[in-house]
Structures are given as structure tokens and as C-alpha cells.
Amino acid sequence: MININFTKLKNIFFKKQVSNPLEYLHENIINKNYKIENSLEEDFYKNSNTKHQIPKESQVHSSHFIRDFKLILDNCSPTSSPYFIGHMTSSLPNFLLELAKLITEKNQNLVKVETSKSFTKMELDCLYMLHNLIYQNHDYFYSEVNLNSQFSLGSFCSGGTIANLTALWAARNNLLGPSKNFQGVQSEGVVAALRYYGYKNLAVIVSERAHYSIKKSVDILGLGINIIHTIPTDKDHKIRTDLLEQKMNELESQQIKVLTIVGIAGSTETGHVDDLLTMSIIAKKYQCHFHVDAAWGGATMTSARYKHILKGIEQADSVTVDAHKQFYIPMGLGMILFKKPQLSKNITHHANYILRKNSNDLGRFSIEGSRSGMSLMLYVSFKVFGLNGYELLINESIEKAKQFSRMIKESKNFQLITHPELCILTYRYLPNKIQKLINRDNNDYIHTKINDLNVKIQEKQKQNGNSFVSRTKLFNYQYGYTMDVFRVVLANPLTQEKHLKKILHEQEKIGQNLFDTLVKFTEKECEYN
């Protein structure tokens, strides 16, 4: 057995021919001189003869094409950089580049066995492994599913948005399915279904940290975004389950049927995980579908040390997981998993020329039709890393977030806003000379100016191009107002303590330069402003 440690794993994220990977990233990926405010459109179309038309002749050897192609590559986002910690993208294992070539060369279409053959079997194996990771069923369960082509454990898709849409689609068709003289919502539509079952309306319940794809999903399903009921979160940014049950009672008394309760396992803004176990108990009590959006946090199940954070996910009727997040696969590969494979029968579609009944065609259970063999990357990654390898990556990312949170708390001019539960955290620049004023008085003028200052720091840092953090708005329970904060995602294995120190140093320097011009007041003026 190969002894895997994090140093060895980290080396997988470098190209073999690079002798000094960090130096290479710094010199070749981080855009030192390019300014974000520069107009790429102006650069692209400058002196161009084909602004809005496909060129009639090949331009491969033309100076315009070479210049434009270089412009694209030189100015794309440096997602592999250890200083790029603002979004859920990261450096990737080097072996995926060769796999990408193979996938392109083979050009398999996973919609149907005839156009994918062995890739179909490979993708099914992937689904079994992922399903087992979440639900921990016995081998005989998967053996029985393997013998029954009428159902599916889920499907691969382009990402979390399609996965969440598929989950709500399956829940809707299951709730409002065929019965006696009713052909089901799939045939007769939502209005007829509500009338037949005697519901005044449906409801989808989420926390205020839910991903915006839930709104898009109910819109596409013809349910209307007004059916979404948003439950406030507590000080730890988790859904308040007391208010959730209160809302369930309220809707039941109004003859409004809850279609789905959505739990979050790794919110986009703060990375926090809802109390999934309690939510599952409430869902069973009121007999409604329980879906968990684990697009970000699903890979945490590979960690024996931290998977308890997702306790209760195994009770979900459906789960969304993104491979292009913490499974370190290129954009975009997501998955929807069903606890009971029979749920997939509610969304099955056939076509005489391609998706025939009783076939093993994977396209029968997915919104998308034609799909590439991207799942091969996940299959190979499972073999290369194994559970132990992924556990090391997950553990390291969470520990790194904890380390960064300690660095922030030890700094005189920064304030930690949300403690990391997974590997996402938020903080803000708060000069030491202002902290006493904020702690003493709830002064709207100070709060506004500090918010403006943090927005300007993030914008300036992005323009400089040396490093990048994102920003968001969060309600602060301590002060009772909404604040602009920095948001960082520490999943990149290349990011080290020295990079985090440089990022803080740059923000502090920008903040000091901006403070005197943006925040013009003395302590006495601040008291009465």
C-alpha cells in the first residue's frame, strides 16, 4: 500500500516539468500588470476587421488571431493561483489534463449506451460509489439496483443548479403523481394537479442562505418563486429549526402542502451546514421531501474526522454534490443522488429513436440529453486519491481555514465575522483606532464608512491583480446591521500560510492608504455625526 501524505498529494497538483511550482504560478499565472478596469472588449476589437462575423478564411497564422488568443490566455482568471482564494475554484491534479485529451478524442455521449458503451458502466459505478459515500447501504442493495434498469440512483449533470432542479422535479412528480382518474402532473400540469389533490398551493422551504438555483428551479417547474418560504438563520448562519417547524404548522393549517424542505451542507456565502438531522425529522413528521444541497460540502463525507458535521445527510431523499468543487474535477460536473432509486421513475422519459424503455440509457433519468464523458475524471480520481487521499485534502482545507481565522483574530486591524465550519470564512478590515468606537456606540456613520472602506479595499485588491478575495453582505447580530465583508475559500492545496500573510498585508496596506481619504472624522466628530 502506498503511504499517502499531504505533501505527496499536493505535488499531484503541479505539472511534472515545473521545477519550482510556486514560482511558476507566481510568474506565469498571477496577472501582475493587468488591471481589471482595462477594457478587454476594446483590446479585442482594436484594429480588427471581423468584429461581429465568423472569418471567411482561416486566421490561424494571422497576427490578429495570435494576439487575441494570447490576450485571452494572459487575462483569464488565475484560478490555480495560491493567492486566488475568493471563489470555489482551485488548482487541479495534473493527470486530469491527459484525461481531458482522452475524453475529447473518444467523444462519448452518455445519453445512450450505443454512443457510450463502457462509459455507461463506468458512470454507473461512479454513482454507486457516491451513493454509498452518502447513504452507506450494503452491497446487496447496489447489486439489486444494478439488476433493475427501471430505476436509477441518480444522474450526472453539468452542476449544482441542474442537480437541484432535478431534485425538485422528482419531488413534484412524486407528490402529484398519477392516481385513479388523474394522469399526474407530468401529463396534466400543476393547476390540474393541485385541484385534484385538494391543495391550495405548494411550498418550498429554505434558509436565507439557500443557493439562488432554488429560485430558478421553482420558476422553471412552473410553481412560481413566491412558493419559496425563507427561514431566518441563527448567529451561526444555520436555519432556525424552531421557526422551520412553526412555518410547517402554519402552512398545513392553510392547506398548503410543503413540497420540499431544503437543507444546506456548505452554504455558498459562509460554508455552514444546517442541522440536517433535525430537518430530516421534521420532514418525516410532515411527510414531505427532504433535499440536501451539498454541492460544496458533500465531499466532506470522505473525512472520518469531519463527516459528523453533515450528520443527517443520510436521511435526505435526494442530495446534490458537485464534483467540480471539493472533488477537484474541472468545471462542470455535478450529481443528483436519490436515497430510493424508485424516485427516479417519476422523471423518466423515453424516445423511440434513442431512449427506449427497459434500456440502460442514462439519458432516461436526466434533464440534459447529450453529455460528455466528464465522469471519467471523477472515476479515475477516485482510483488515484482513494478515500484516504480525499480525506487529507478535506482535512487540510478545514485546518487551513482555522489557521487563517486565527491569523485574522491575532491581527490588530481585522475582524473575523464567521468562524469556519468547513473551509469558507468571512472577515473585514476594521482599523484598531475605530474598534473602540464601534464597540462603544452603534453609530450609523461609522458603520457606513467601514462598509465603504471594505468595498474599496476589495475592489482595489482585485484591480492590482496580485491576489483575490470575494466579498458579500452579512447581517451582524452583535451590531444589528448589515456589513460588507471579505469572503475566502481555502480549498486550494497550493495555498500556504505565507500566501495568506501576503493577502492580509496587501489588504492592510490598501486600507491604510484609503482610510484617511474615505473616513474623515475625529473621535469627537464621530460621536455626534
Side-chain angles (χ1 to χ4, degrees):
M1 180 179 293
I2 299 174
N3 183 24
I4 298 177
N5 58 47
F6 184 71
T7 301
K8 289 181 179 179
L9 273 185
K10 192 166 61 175
N11 289 336
I12 295 178
F13 288 76
F14 299 132
K15 293 182 178 180
K16 293 181 181 178
Q17 64 269 28
V18 178
S19 58
N20 191 332
L22 291 179
E23 182 179 343
Y24 172 82
L25 286 168
H26 188 68
E27 296 297 328
N28 295 282
I29 296 180
I30 301 171
N31 305 321
K32 288 185 175 181
N33 300 319
Y34 188 77
K35 306 299 180 183
I36 296 296
E37 68 268 21
N38 285 3
S39 173
L40 271 176
E41 182 177 355
E42 181 181 341
D43 289 342
F44 266 109
Y45 293 129
K46 187 177 182 181
N47 301 321
S48 176
N49 296 320
T50 56
K51 295 180 181 179
H52 306 292
Q53 298 175 355
I54 298 174
K56 291 183 179 181
E57 305 292 338
S58 171
Q59 294 188 350
V60 171
H61 299 294
S62 73
S63 59
H64 284 306
F65 171 75
I66 294 172
R67 176 184 56 79
D68 289 351
F69 192 67
K70 186 176 185 302
L71 191 64
I72 294 170
L73 296 183
D74 287 349
N75 296 289
C76 62
S77 295
T79 55
S80 294
S81 165
Y83 295 95
F84 189 92
I85 60 171
H87 288 300
M88 294 173 166
T89 45
S90 174
S91 57
L92 296 172
N94 54 56
F95 61 84
L96 294 181
L97 182 59
E98 293 302 318
L99 276 179
K101 293 178 182 178
L102 284 173
I103 291 168
T104 301
E105 178 188 351
K106 297 303 179 183
N107 197 26
Q108 302 293 285
N109 184 352
L110 272 295
V111 69
K112 185 170 179 61
V113 175
E114 291 174 1
T115 55
S116 57
K117 293 184 70 176
S118 59
F119 269 60
T120 292
K121 177 62 170 65
M122 173 274 299
E123 190 159 291
L124 286 172
D125 286 348
C126 256
L127 283 173
Y128 294 160
M129 286 187 276
L130 286 161
H131 193 278
N132 182 257
L133 180 69
I134 300 295
Y135 292 110
Q136 300 292 308
N137 287 311
H138 294 290
D139 289 343
Y140 66 79
F141 170 85
Y142 299 101
S143 297
E144 290 180 357
V145 173
N146 192 38
L147 294 173
N148 194 334
S149 62
Q150 299 300 309
F151 311 121
S152 175
L153 292 173
S155 62
F156 280 89
C157 55
S158 61
T161 294
I162 298 297
N164 285 337
L165 172 58
T166 304
L168 295 186
W169 180 30
R172 186 201 68 172
N173 288 7
N174 184 54
L175 176 67
L176 305 175
S179 177
K180 294 182 180 180
N181 298 323
F182 180 63
Q183 297 180 42
V185 65
Q186 194 175 48
S187 298
E188 300 195 33
V190 174
V191 174
L194 292 176
R195 187 186 302 118
Y196 178 83
Y197 282 101
Y199 301 135
K200 287 186 178 180
N201 207 344
L202 301 178
V204 172
I205 302 185
V206 299
S207 90
E208 58 185 330
R209 291 281 170 264
H211 193 261
Y212 64 90
S213 61
I214 301 299
K215 284 187 177 180
K216 290 195 286 188
S217 297
V218 298
D219 182 7
I220 292 169
L221 291 172
L223 303 175
I225 61 175
N226 288 341
I227 75 159
I228 296 177
H229 296 263
T230 302
I231 307 298
T233 54
D234 58 22
K235 60 181 179 60
D236 294 320
H237 300 274
K238 301 171 182 286
I239 192 170
R240 286 189 54 183
T241 53
D242 59 329
L243 297 182
L244 167 61
E245 184 147 25
Q246 182 179 315
K247 176 59 69 172
M248 298 291 288
N249 284 323
E250 176 188 325
L251 294 170
E252 188 176 65
S253 67
Q254 298 172 3
Q255 289 183 282
I256 296 175
K257 177 62 178 177
V258 175
L259 171 65
T260 307
I261 296 175
V262 180
I264 305 173
S267 64
T268 305
E269 286 184 300
T270 65
H272 286 90
V273 179
D274 286 331
D275 182 352
L276 303 179
L277 184 58
T278 300
M279 295 180 78
S280 71
I281 294 171
I282 293 173
K284 287 181 180 178
K285 178 180 178 180
Y286 291 89
Q287 296 183 320
C288 69
H289 187 97
F290 178 43
H291 174 63
V292 172
D293 183 354
W296 178 250
T300 309
M301 291 298 291
T302 62
S303 170
R305 185 187 304 172
Y306 290 111
K307 67 179 181 180
H308 70 274
I309 297 174
L310 274 62
K311 184 178 180 180
I313 192 173
E314 71 283 353
Q315 301 299 323
D317 296 297
S318 57
V319 175
T320 287
V321 179
D322 271 350
H324 59 238
K325 291 190 169 74
Q326 292 195 91
F327 280 114
Y328 297 94
I329 302 299
M331 304 294 292
L333 186 66
M335 297 145 280
I336 178 67
L337 302 169
F338 299 128
K339 182 176 184 178
K340 296 180 179 180
Q342 292 82 354
L343 189 62
S344 65
K345 196 172 183 179
N346 296 291
I347 56 173
T348 303
H349 281 261
H350 305 285
N352 289 332
Y353 76 100
I354 189 168
L355 300 175
R356 300 183 183 92
K357 293 182 179 180
N358 301 317
S359 71
N360 289 315
D361 299 337
L362 299 178
R364 293 179 302 150
F365 308 106
S366 63
I367 291 176
E368 294 162 310
S370 299
R371 288 186 299 105
S372 74
M374 277 281 289
S375 50
L376 179 65
M377 292 195 175
L378 185 61
Y379 181 83
V380 173
S381 294
F382 282 165
K383 302 295 184 178
V384 172
F385 289 118
L387 273 179
N388 291 343
Y390 274 117
E391 179 176 21
L392 284 173
L393 290 170
I394 293 295
N395 292 354
E396 175 69 14
S397 66
I398 295 176
E399 293 301 323
K400 193 182 304 176
K402 291 179 179 179
Q403 178 190 32
F404 193 39
S405 68
R406 290 192 294 269
M407 291 167 59
I408 293 167
K409 286 190 285 188
E410 291 169 1
S411 173
K412 294 181 179 179
N413 294 317
F414 290 95
Q415 180 186 33
L416 184 69
I417 302 301
T418 58
H419 294 265
E421 186 169 29
L422 298 181
C423 63
I424 300 176
L425 60 87
T426 63
Y427 65 104
R428 65 173 178 168
Y429 178 70
L430 187 63
N432 186 51
K433 51 188 171 183
I434 297 298
Q435 290 178 17
K436 292 182 180 178
L437 297 174
I438 283 194
N439 291 331
R440 188 186 62 194
D441 297 320
N442 187 12
N443 190 299
D444 290 340
Y445 177 80
I446 303 175
H447 295 320
T448 300
K449 289 299 181 182
I450 292 301
N451 278 345
D452 291 344
L453 180 60
N454 279 270
V455 170
K456 295 292 184 184
I457 291 172
Q458 193 268 346
E459 290 177 346
K460 182 63 176 175
Q461 188 174 21
K462 180 171 63 175
Q463 291 168 7
N464 289 345
N466 296 316
S467 58
F468 174 75
V469 303
S470 59
R471 74 169 190 267
T472 188
K473 290 180 179 290
L474 294 175
F475 183 80
N476 185 280
Y477 290 89
Q478 179 181 353
Y479 303 123
Y481 76 99
T482 299
M483 57 175 61
D484 290 274
V485 298
F486 305 132
R487 169 184 169 272
V488 298
V489 184
L490 295 172
N492 191 340
L494 305 187
T495 303
Q496 301 176 27
E497 182 180 359
K498 63 181 181 180
H499 302 118
L500 299 176
K501 286 181 178 179
K502 287 184 178 180
I503 289 169
L504 285 180
H505 177 72
E506 182 182 12
Q507 290 177 330
E508 192 167 37
K509 187 175 180 180
I510 295 171
Q512 290 170 349
N513 292 336
L514 289 173
F515 181 82
D516 291 334
T517 56
L518 193 62
V519 187
K520 297 180 179 178
F521 55 78
T522 64
E523 183 171 339
K524 184 176 181 180
E525 289 172 333
C526 187
E527 294 176 7
Y528 298 99
N529 209 306

